[in-house]
Amino acid sequence: MATAQEKATPTSFASAAGKAAAAADGVLQSWTDPSQDPITKRSPAPVSLILPVSSLSSDPNTKGITIMTRAQTCHPLDPLTAAEISVAVATVRAAGATPEVRDSMRFVEVVLLEPVKHVVALADAYFFPPFQPSLLPRTKGGPVIPTKLPPRRARLVVYSKRSNETSIWIVELSEVRATTRGGHHRGKVISSEVVPNVQPPMDAVEYAECEAVVKDFPPFREAMKKRGIDDMDLVMVDPWCAGYHSDSDAPSRRLAKPLIFCRTESDCPMENGYARPVEGIHVLVDMQNMVVIEFEDRKLIPLPPADPLRNYTSGETRGGVDRSDIKPLQIIQPEGPSFRVSGHFIEWQKWNFRIGFTPREGLVIYSVAYVDDGRGRRPVAHRLSFVEMVVPYGDPNDPHYRKNAFDAGEDGLGKNAHSLKKGCDCLGYIKYFDAHFTNFTGGVETIENCVCLHEEDHGILWKHQDWRTGLAEVRRSRRLSVSFVCTVANYEYGFFWHFYQDGKIEAEVKLTGILSLGALPPGETRKYGTTIAPGLYAPVHQHFFVARMDMAVDCRPGETFNQVVEVNVKIEEPGKDNVHNNAFYAEEELLKSELQAMRDCNPLSARHWIIRNTRTVNRSGQLTGYKLMPGSNCLPLAGSEAKFLRRAAFLKHNVWVTPYARDEMYPWRRVS
């Protein structure tokens, strides 16, 4: 990091996002200079310009500027629409050289290629309400405003079943308006690149095909007969990525090592089959060709006995009763919610931000700002999301030692999200947002009611009672929550971003669902797990959630005035400044480099970090900033040579601060 005296660098936490778009000589440089587009290395078509003229707008924030009629209906940060996804897929498929190449294309991911920050600022300033021209730097002679925004772009991850290659495509989406209809899209391939030695996330179609292939494999059926199972409809095959435990797992092949489970009743849809793991069977599946390439029945371990308490149906079906002594609790908002929504733009209690959604990360929060009555709109962050989740297991026994899931990168948090129409834990007035994805063959699927937006009462915000007068004052806390829930095999994860009236932002992950269990031979226990039922134990494991925070505290797009300082509480040495041995103080240290900024939590010194603006002060004359307050945390409990750490070296520290880089969206997984 640069020092406070030097030009500070825009920062991202956990990992970073791409080359900063300098705009020293005008707004338009952010997209007309090809050097500012590190992903495509090409310059989009030039845009026409107009100069601002006097406006008669009554809004004091827009007086004297021209509000342009936007040339597209979608904000630059809005998620891709179903129509845009279809056009992007069709454009890439049409670019295939032969029918065989086109037929072998599998579409793993189609997402918005997020524009450089100055395009976002321009859209918010002049094209989309609430118009905020203050986002752009002041220039002599007034700002230069284009008549339209650059076309949106899509980024596609495409897997070829024919060649086992993974490629990344960039497609430009041009919206064509028509007077007699709502308009349509057309696409143009900007770039394509084959990425060597990688495998993209697995897809639900592959999961189903893998399960069918394993169930039809004669040696597998024979192994299940040895365990008393003849009905393959009872068998559950969960494909897990092979990981990287040896060179045989190298990504030159698309491999899965499934886990096997077995239900007791094929006609019970709510039976918990995960309560009956089948162990001792080793299966390796070539997912490209959908064939079993390795099989071994290594050890006959009896299935855990059937247990009526294993299911999650109503109490009566499990030999008990449900609680009947709880009274109804109703959350009502007779006057409606306090938030306002326009498309994907949200305003609530001085907060405003945009939401997006990707197949990998799920919920994304953009352009977070707080409206300060005395200082106007004050930016806080450009982009917030969870970019990876790693779940390493601590049982050295087979098959659990190889259970090291990268649930975002290998499966996709967004692609596994729920439709909350089937059950939502939110109460009160709820605003839902749909999410659109491509399926494996390029069709568009929609998850209705995927994201939930609602308000919650959050107890006491502030309270005081004067003992002299007996007068008491209390302020209740209200918070705004944006959330989604996903299922990755046996586990459910709820991801929540909470915004508070006192300016606080909180990220929360709720873990629920079902444990990934192991079977025990009669009379045995496991040192590396907890026995939870006869013949059944839960192996020890950890869950790591990696959040990426592209901060912009009091910074407009293009400004580089943020730095990060670490704060530790120090005990004053005994002496003339501490004659009573009670003194302690907070000591700050500026993080000046990436090497220095690999940091760990330390509750013994109340360690925290502040993202600080080097140019803006508060009313006390102190530099403004946002404090990063770590919650419960730990480091990986595995040894330093653990195989999964070769892909998850980013888990070796709790906090990483890096300079902003537009094309670094996710943590690296270097294998060496």
Side-chain angles (χ1 to χ4, degrees):
M1 300 294 296
T3 65
Q5 288 72 32
E6 299 170 335
K7 183 172 71 172
T9 307
T11 55
S12 295
F13 282 85
S15 184
K19 299 299 179 187
D25 55 354
V27 172
L28 295 179
Q29 183 183 2
S30 60
W31 70 79
T32 58
D33 183 351
S35 68
Q36 300 304 315
D37 195 346
I39 294 180
T40 65
K41 303 298 184 185
R42 299 188 183 184
S43 175
V47 293
S48 56
L49 306 179
I50 64 169
L51 293 176
V53 296
S54 178
S55 171
L56 300 179
S57 170
S58 60
D59 185 345
N61 294 321
T62 61
K63 187 174 182 179
I65 64 169
T66 300
I67 303 304
M68 303 307 303
T69 301
R70 57 180 182 265
Q72 58 210 51
T73 57
C74 294
H75 186 277
L77 291 177
D78 282 352
L80 293 180
T81 65
E84 288 176 316
I85 293 173
S86 295
V87 168
V89 168
T91 302
V92 170
R93 183 175 276 136
T98 66
E100 292 77 16
V101 170
R102 294 191 288 271
D103 290 343
S104 70
M105 287 181 173
R106 298 296 181 267
F107 294 87
V108 178
E109 184 177 289
V110 182
V111 297
L112 173 74
L113 178 61
E114 296 172 12
V116 293
K117 295 179 181 180
H118 271 79
V119 172
V120 178
L122 186 67
D124 290 336
Y126 298 112
F127 289 85
F128 288 85
F131 304 106
Q132 304 168 70
S134 62
L135 289 172
L136 298 176
R138 295 181 180 179
T139 58
K140 292 183 178 180
V144 177
I145 311 169
T147 58
K148 61 181 180 180
L149 296 171
R152 280 153 60 89
R153 292 183 174 186
R155 179 181 183 271
L156 297 88
V157 178
V158 181
Y159 173 70
S160 170
K161 282 187 69 70
R162 183 168 174 257
S163 65
N164 193 36
E165 291 180 331
T166 301
S167 57
I168 296 178
W169 298 67
I170 305 299
V171 172
E172 185 173 278
L173 303 166
S174 300
E175 186 175 32
V176 181
R177 302 299 296 175
T179 57
T180 58
R181 57 187 184 274
H184 62 279
H185 297 269
R186 63 186 179 193
K188 179 177 69 174
V189 173
I190 301 299
S191 67
S192 65
E193 176 188 6
V194 174
V195 184
N197 301 318
V198 298
Q199 288 293 334
M202 290 188 181
D203 187 85
V205 170
E206 292 179 295
Y207 290 160
E209 291 177 353
C210 178
E211 182 174 60
V213 165
V214 172
K215 287 183 179 182
D216 288 341
F217 190 61
F220 176 78
R221 299 175 76 95
E222 186 64 31
M224 294 305 295
K225 282 185 179 181
K226 292 180 183 179
R227 292 159 174 80
I229 305 299
D230 292 309
D231 185 358
M232 286 295 107
D233 288 339
L234 298 175
V235 178
M236 300 162 49
V237 180
D238 276 14
W240 281 52
C241 289
Y244 205 115
H245 297 276
S246 66
D247 290 341
S248 63
D249 298 326
S252 57
R253 297 186 296 172
R254 189 164 178 78
L255 302 175
K257 294 182 178 179
L259 299 177
I260 314 300
F261 305 88
C262 186
R263 301 193 302 272
T264 61
E265 303 174 64
S266 60
D267 59 349
C268 180
M270 297 295 284
E271 181 179 353
N272 176 17
Y274 289 112
R276 299 188 77 210
V278 180
E279 296 205 356
I281 297 177
H282 166 76
V283 187
L284 182 66
V285 178
D286 177 345
M287 300 291 280
Q288 177 191 2
N289 301 300
M290 280 301 163
V291 294
V292 176
I293 56 177
E294 289 183 16
F295 181 86
E296 184 179 359
D297 190 355
R298 294 174 173 173
K299 185 177 182 180
L300 182 60
I301 300 177
L303 287 172
D307 185 345
L309 297 179
R310 71 189 180 280
N311 293 339
Y312 39 92
T313 49
S314 59
E316 289 80 357
T317 65
R318 295 182 286 112
V321 295
D322 290 332
R323 295 182 183 182
S324 59
D325 58 347
I326 189 166
K327 305 298 183 185
L329 175 63
Q330 296 182 345
I331 306 297
I332 60 173
Q333 294 178 271
E335 298 181 17
S338 301
F339 56 78
R340 292 183 293 176
V341 178
S342 176
H344 292 81
F345 182 72
I346 297 165
E347 296 176 284
W348 178 82
Q349 289 289 289
K350 301 183 182 295
W351 286 108
N352 60 69
F353 55 90
R354 291 186 175 275
I355 65 168
F357 205 85
T358 73
R360 179 169 178 164
E361 303 156 282
L363 180 62
V364 181
I365 309 294
Y366 297 108
S367 303
V368 181
Y370 191 86
V371 179
D372 188 333
D373 289 340
R375 305 173 74 165
R377 182 186 186 275
R378 301 182 65 182
V380 175
H382 176 70
R383 194 182 193 276
L384 306 171
S385 70
F386 284 93
V387 293
E388 190 54 274
M389 180 172 71
V390 185
V391 187
Y393 280 69
D395 186 345
N397 296 288
D398 188 43
H400 307 289
Y401 75 90
R402 59 180 171 81
K403 290 161 64 175
N404 303 294
F406 290 71
D407 286 329
E410 292 177 344
D411 291 286
L413 303 178
K415 289 192 76 169
N416 287 284
H418 294 179
S419 169
L420 297 175
K421 294 177 71 173
K422 300 178 181 179
C424 182
D425 63 341
C426 305
L427 299 174
Y429 188 100
I430 302 171
K431 166 64 178 176
Y432 292 106
F433 299 85
D434 296 343
H436 305 291
F437 301 102
T438 179
N439 59 28
F440 209 37
T441 56
V444 179
E445 297 183 357
T446 298
I447 302 177
E448 295 182 324
N449 293 13
C450 184
V451 175
C452 171
L453 172 70
H454 74 291
E455 296 175 282
E456 295 178 343
D457 180 88
H458 196 62
I460 296 175
L461 176 63
W462 178 85
K463 179 180 174 66
H464 178 66
Q465 179 170 317
D466 190 320
W467 65 270
R468 291 182 175 84
T469 65
L471 297 177
E473 186 69 24
V474 64
R475 312 273 200 275
R476 292 206 66 78
S477 176
R478 183 87 60 92
R479 72 181 184 185
L480 183 70
S481 292
V482 195
S483 63
F484 81 103
V485 181
C486 66
T487 299
V488 185
N490 51 290
Y491 268 123
E492 263 75 17
Y493 301 93
F495 292 87
F496 298 78
W497 290 92
H498 304 299
F499 295 83
Y500 291 84
Q501 291 167 306
D502 60 0
K504 181 174 67 177
I505 304 172
E506 180 183 28
E508 180 183 21
V509 182
K510 296 180 181 180
L511 172 60
T512 180
I514 301 170
L515 294 166
S516 181
L517 304 172
L520 287 171
E524 288 192 14
T525 59
R526 278 285 190 270
K527 176 180 180 180
Y528 307 102
T530 302
T531 301
I532 62 173
L536 197 62
Y537 80 104
V540 294
H541 60 284
Q542 296 178 277
H543 294 257
F544 292 96
F545 303 93
V546 182
R548 177 183 176 276
M549 297 179 289
D550 181 4
M551 303 299 292
V553 178
D554 276 331
C555 280
R556 293 178 296 189
E559 292 183 339
T560 56
F561 304 142
N562 277 186
Q563 61 180 198
V564 178
V565 296
E566 180 175 283
V567 182
N568 290 280
V569 173
K570 299 287 186 178
I571 299 174
E572 186 66 81
E573 295 292 333
K576 64 182 181 61
D577 293 328
N578 189 19
V579 295
H580 303 292
N581 266 346
N582 69 318
F584 59 91
Y585 60 98
E587 181 178 80
E588 296 184 357
E589 180 181 10
L590 177 65
L591 302 181
K592 300 180 181 180
S593 68
E594 288 185 301
L595 186 63
Q596 181 192 9
M598 300 183 294
R599 310 303 300 165
D600 295 323
C601 298
N602 184 3
L604 299 180
S605 65
R607 180 174 294 168
H608 59 273
W609 296 268
I610 298 176
I611 305 98
R612 176 175 290 165
N613 187 291
T614 60
R615 300 283 185 94
T616 307
V617 297
N618 59 24
R619 67 176 185 173
S620 301
Q622 299 171 319
L623 295 175
T624 59
Y626 251 79
K627 180 190 294 187
L628 178 63
M629 302 174 63
S632 299
N633 257 291
C634 67
L635 294 171
L637 298 175
S640 60
E641 299 302 314
K643 298 293 194 301
F644 78 91
L645 286 176
R646 296 194 299 172
R647 293 196 298 158
F650 51 87
L651 297 183
K652 293 182 178 180
H653 295 285
N654 296 125
V655 173
W656 303 71
V657 184
T658 73
Y660 175 82
R662 185 182 175 217
D663 55 350
E664 294 178 8
M665 294 293 292
Y666 311 107
W668 295 106
R669 301 180 194 161
R670 182 174 59 86
V671 176
S672 59

